Amino acid sequence: MPTSDLSRRRFLQRFVAVGAVGLGSGSILAACGGGQPAPEAAAPEAAASASVCDLTGVPEQELAMRTQLQYVDVSPDPAKHCSGCALYVPPAEGSTCGGCTLKLGPVAPEGHCLSWAAKAT
């Protein structure tokens, strides 16, 4: 009987040691930035503060949609700007930012999102 108790002890010791290592490595990764949310998961308020268009009064739901569709004020692809998108609504006279039929709030003509679709010619 003592042999089986000894193997159980070893098993439990190793199990606890492996668990401690797992917990410790998670803490180390979090300290190195592993616990940071991805940029696309940023809060709508963070996206709102970075916009070139005035987002004052834009509903929270529209700010969240901007984040989900990864809207940016300057397109990474020069051939895909909001002004060339089928969903773009041109700005009102005297305004620099237009709109979007997806209800993203005001959008820059040079902007871009995941739902970009070329205007029909």
Side-chain angles (χ1 to χ4, degrees):
M1 291 267 177
T3 309
S4 64
D5 286 340
L6 186 57
S7 66
R8 273 192 213 137
R9 269 192 203 132
R10 282 190 185 153
F11 171 77
L12 289 174
Q13 288 172 342
R14 289 180 182 163
F15 181 78
V16 170
V18 169
V21 168
L23 289 174
S25 65
S27 299
I28 291 169
L29 288 175
C32 292
Q36 300 273 335
E40 58 270 8
E45 297 81 29
S49 65
S51 181
V52 297
C53 299
D54 182 18
L55 299 176
T56 306
V58 175
E60 190 75 26
Q61 187 176 15
E62 290 184 22
L63 294 175
M65 181 68 84
R66 288 170 80 92
T67 302
Q68 286 178 330
L69 293 177
Q70 298 177 17
Y71 170 80
V72 292
D73 288 323
V74 179
S75 176
D77 184 346
K80 295 182 178 181
H81 288 145
C82 287
S83 60
C85 178
L87 304 171
Y88 182 70
V89 178
E93 197 171 318
S95 179
T96 57
C97 293
C100 180
T101 58
L102 295 178
K103 302 226 183 250
L104 301 180
V107 296
E110 302 82 25
H112 176 77
C113 81
L114 294 177
S115 292
W116 186 89
K119 285 183 180 178
T121 54

